[in-house]
Amino acid sequence: MPRNIWRGAISFGLVTVPISVASATEDHSIRFHQYHLEDMGRVRVRKYCEIEDREIDQGEIGKGYQLTKEQVIPISDEELRDLPLPTAKAIEIVAFVPLDSVDPLKIGEGYYLSPSGQVAAKPYKLLRMALARSSKVAVAKYAWSGRERLGLLRVREDAIVLHAMRWPDEIRSPEELLPPPVELSDEEIDGALALMDSMTREDLEGEEFQDTYTEALEQIIEAKREDREPPKLQEPESKPGQIVDLMAALNESVQKARASRGEDADVHETPKKKTAAKPTKKQPAKKATVKKTTAKKSSGHRSKSA
């Protein structure tokens, strides 16, 4: 049972839904500590006061904002908790929008919202069913951990989920990272679509979606605990290199993807068939005179070189 990390309410117009907030995710990563290599003694960070030049405990530590080099404004946890904001004690819904209108870059970690007490059961179910039937998500504002945030409320199974969101000015523009302009043929685009089609699946279940990094770390730790040689890295079948023939790489990728799914790996010429079909549609018009056969052959040559 995940522990509650916040208690408050969802404000939905004049409707108030008392809720408790719990994390919707778990982190199964392996954690490392720092050790002195000479004697494997644990390395720890101790907190010192610069003025008194002594170590202090957590009870002596508070928050402060450095206004100038000499002046610090102390801010207590009570002052943060009692901020004069309606979002300090409630998740205030401000709008409803289609989910596809929200840039995924803005969506962060998720939290389950559960009704707090029997009195909250009915308004909680009301909001959940309204969100489900509308096929929309709610955009809300709330204040946690010393700052006001945007949030996205959506339905997952029978629960309401809150996703933290970033403010618009927190999203960087990709303009400086874009590649220079290049030309792509229809054949290359069709090849990419064929590769996507061969890699399409209905869900994210299977060994491809397991954390192999953590599994490899566990194998190394277990081997060293038993004084065995850690497992060696398996060399990949093909090493990544410079792409010389984009279409050849796409066709080979389609072949490998279909073979890995147990499909016929030989049917990977779909993009070429699509491009070859385009000139055949124009053949009736080109048969008007016999004299145009030369132009017809040259146009077919150009489509192959594309």
Side-chain angles (χ1 to χ4, degrees), residues 7 29 60 63 73 102 113 148 152 163 205 237 240 256 278:
R7 291 181 182 274
S29 302
E60 300 177 87
K63 297 180 178 68
I73 307 298
V102 181
L113 307 183
E148 188 173 53
L152 182 148
H163 287 279
E205 300 294 333
E237 295 180 0
K256 288 184 176 180
K278 291 179 181 178

Side-chain angles (χ1 to χ4, degrees), residues 21-94:
V21 180
S23 178
T25 59
E26 295 178 341
D27 186 357
H28 297 155
S29 302
I30 294 177
R31 304 294 182 183
F32 294 105
H33 298 300
Q34 290 184 326
Y35 287 88
H36 183 201
L37 292 176
E38 185 174 336
D39 54 18
M40 295 307 293
R42 179 76 178 273
V43 177
R44 298 184 182 275
V45 178
R46 303 187 184 277
K47 298 181 180 180
Y48 278 80
C49 173
E50 292 182 349
I51 296 177
E52 298 184 12
D53 192 24
R54 69 177 180 87
E55 185 180 348
I56 58 177
D57 58 35
Q58 189 60 39
E60 300 177 87
I61 300 175
K63 297 180 178 68
Y65 176 80
Q66 187 167 358
L67 189 64
T68 65
K69 190 175 181 180
E70 294 79 17
Q71 186 179 9
V72 176
I73 307 298
I75 302 293
S76 68
D77 291 337
E78 291 75 17
E79 289 170 328
L80 292 176
R81 187 181 63 241
D82 298 332
L83 282 173
L85 291 171
T87 55
K89 297 182 183 296
I91 300 171
E92 184 179 15
I93 295 177
V94 295

Side-chain angles (χ1 to χ4, degrees), residues 197-261:
D197 183 63
S198 67
M199 297 175 66
T200 298
R201 51 191 302 161
E202 298 297 327
D203 53 46
L204 299 181
E205 300 294 333
E207 61 181 12
E208 302 98 323
F209 306 103
Q210 294 179 357
D211 184 3
T212 55
Y213 183 87
T214 299
E215 291 178 357
L217 277 179
E218 290 173 345
Q219 292 176 9
I220 292 177
I221 293 172
E222 184 65 18
K224 299 192 75 171
R225 185 180 71 87
E226 298 176 353
D227 295 325
R228 292 187 288 105
E229 186 71 19
K232 300 296 183 181
L233 174 67
Q234 294 182 356
E235 293 294 333
E237 295 180 0
S238 59
K239 296 182 179 180
Q242 184 178 4
I243 298 177
V244 179
D245 188 335
L246 186 57
M247 277 307 305
L250 286 171
N251 285 329
E252 184 179 353
S253 299
V254 171
Q255 185 179 16
K256 288 184 176 180
R258 288 176 173 168
S260 67
R261 296 172 61 173

Side-chain angles (χ1 to χ4, degrees), residues 115-189:
S116 184
Q118 184 61 34
V119 68
K122 188 171 183 177
Y124 181 92
K125 185 176 181 180
L126 172 67
L127 177 58
R128 178 178 60 78
M129 293 187 66
L131 285 171
R133 291 190 183 183
S134 69
S135 299
K136 295 181 180 179
V137 295
V139 177
K141 295 170 70 176
Y142 63 98
W144 287 357
S145 304
R147 58 171 297 191
E148 188 173 53
R149 304 167 184 258
L150 275 179
L152 182 148
L153 274 67
R154 67 177 182 90
V155 174
R156 185 177 190 272
E157 298 178 358
D158 291 332
I160 298 176
V161 178
L162 167 69
H163 287 279
M165 291 180 62
R166 297 171 180 86
W167 297 100
D169 62 355
E170 294 177 326
I171 305 297
R172 294 173 177 170
S173 171
E175 185 175 355
E176 297 180 357
L177 306 175
L178 297 179
V182 295
E183 295 295 331
L184 289 174
S185 66
D186 290 341
E187 186 180 28
E188 291 168 332
I189 297 174

